[in-house]
Amino acid sequence: MGLNATQIKTGLDNVAEREPKIARALEIAGYPEPRIRDTGYKTMLRTIVGQQVSVAAASSMWNKLEAELGEGFTPSCLLERDFDTLRACGLSRQKQGYARSLCELVAAGEVEFENLPKDDEEAIAELTKIKGVGRWSAEIYLLFAEGRPDIWPAGDLAVMAGIGNILGLDERPDEKATRALAEPWRPYRGATAIFTWHCYNNPAL
């Protein structure tokens, strides 16, 4: 369960009190809608399926995979399928490797999506055990599925560009600078990240 509308508003109001440029952007763009995904390994599997392809292609692959495995499929269902079966669903060799890594770790109890560490950095470390899951994917999961309020995916292109635009910077900040800029906004960086996506393509800012 991601951050709800009340949590987003509370977080942004707190950050706006500290940063006038965010307060101004908030007046222009308004509050963003919540971005909510289900908790559990299937959300991460869907992220893997959708890596580096269009939304339409990702949706098509997911529908084929779900039709093959069954709507209530378990990790073992995927692990039992051979290469050609998963290839027919649209999964490349690389995606299959990542998907199998995820399902193997979940099946073995080495990654427990329902019992991730409460500490954000420890949870990110747990999720990045999965082959093909980097910091960005882990952060997106923790923000949108678990609604962790202080997640700040500083390596996201839209977050970097969006915050640079909001703050009126001459150049888009890199990941390190984007992470540093947000330090004063703890513990509400999650709401601020959602706001940067909301503002990313707003011509009025």
Side-chain angles (χ1 to χ4, degrees):
M1 185 70 171
L3 294 175
N4 61 37
T6 300
Q7 290 171 309
I8 291 171
K9 184 179 187 303
T10 299
L12 285 172
D13 286 348
N14 273 275
V15 174
E17 287 179 5
R18 309 173 198 179
E19 177 48 69
K21 290 178 180 177
I22 286 182
R24 174 186 169 274
L26 193 54
E27 287 180 7
I28 294 169
Y31 295 96
E33 293 293 320
R35 296 186 176 209
I36 295 173
R37 297 181 186 169
D38 294 332
T39 55
Y41 82 96
K42 284 187 182 178
T43 290
M44 185 61 78
L45 178 59
R46 190 157 191 166
T47 299
I48 289 170
V49 168
Q51 286 175 345
Q52 299 180 322
V53 297
S54 69
V55 173
S59 180
S60 174
M61 282 192 283
W62 183 258
N63 290 340
K64 288 176 183 175
L65 186 63
E66 204 166 47
E68 169 63 35
L69 302 181
E71 193 172 335
F73 69 87
T74 63
S76 61
C77 293
L78 184 143
L79 294 172
E80 289 165 1
R81 266 50 177 197
D82 62 19
F83 175 84
D84 290 335
T85 299
L86 295 178
R87 187 72 186 88
C89 296
L91 272 67
S92 64
R93 185 177 299 277
Q94 185 180 60
K95 284 185 192 292
Q96 289 193 38
Y98 297 166
R100 288 186 184 280
S101 172
L102 166 63
C103 290
E104 285 167 359
L105 288 168
V106 172
E110 292 183 38
V111 175
E112 298 180 18
F113 278 85
E114 305 308 323
N115 193 32
L116 291 172
K118 298 300 182 188
D119 180 82
D120 292 339
E121 287 300 322
E122 289 180 13
I124 289 167
E126 187 89 351
L127 292 172
T128 52
K129 289 180 184 176
I130 303 162
K131 187 177 179 182
V133 173
R135 184 180 182 93
W136 177 84
S137 296
E139 288 173 329
I140 293 299
Y141 176 84
L142 294 173
L143 180 58
F144 293 160
E146 293 207 344
R148 299 202 182 198
D150 201 39
I151 293 293
W152 178 245
D156 185 277
L157 176 63
V159 170
M160 291 188 282
I163 205 63
N165 191 28
I166 290 167
L167 299 179
L169 304 180
D170 291 333
E171 295 182 357
R172 187 183 77 206
D174 62 13
E175 181 175 354
K176 184 178 179 180
T178 299
R179 202 168 293 285
L181 284 167
E183 280 300 311
W185 307 331
R186 290 176 179 271
Y188 302 108
R189 294 180 301 170
T192 311
I194 293 169
F195 186 59
T196 62
W197 284 305
H198 179 59
C199 293
Y200 179 50
N201 284 319
N202 191 320
L205 295 173

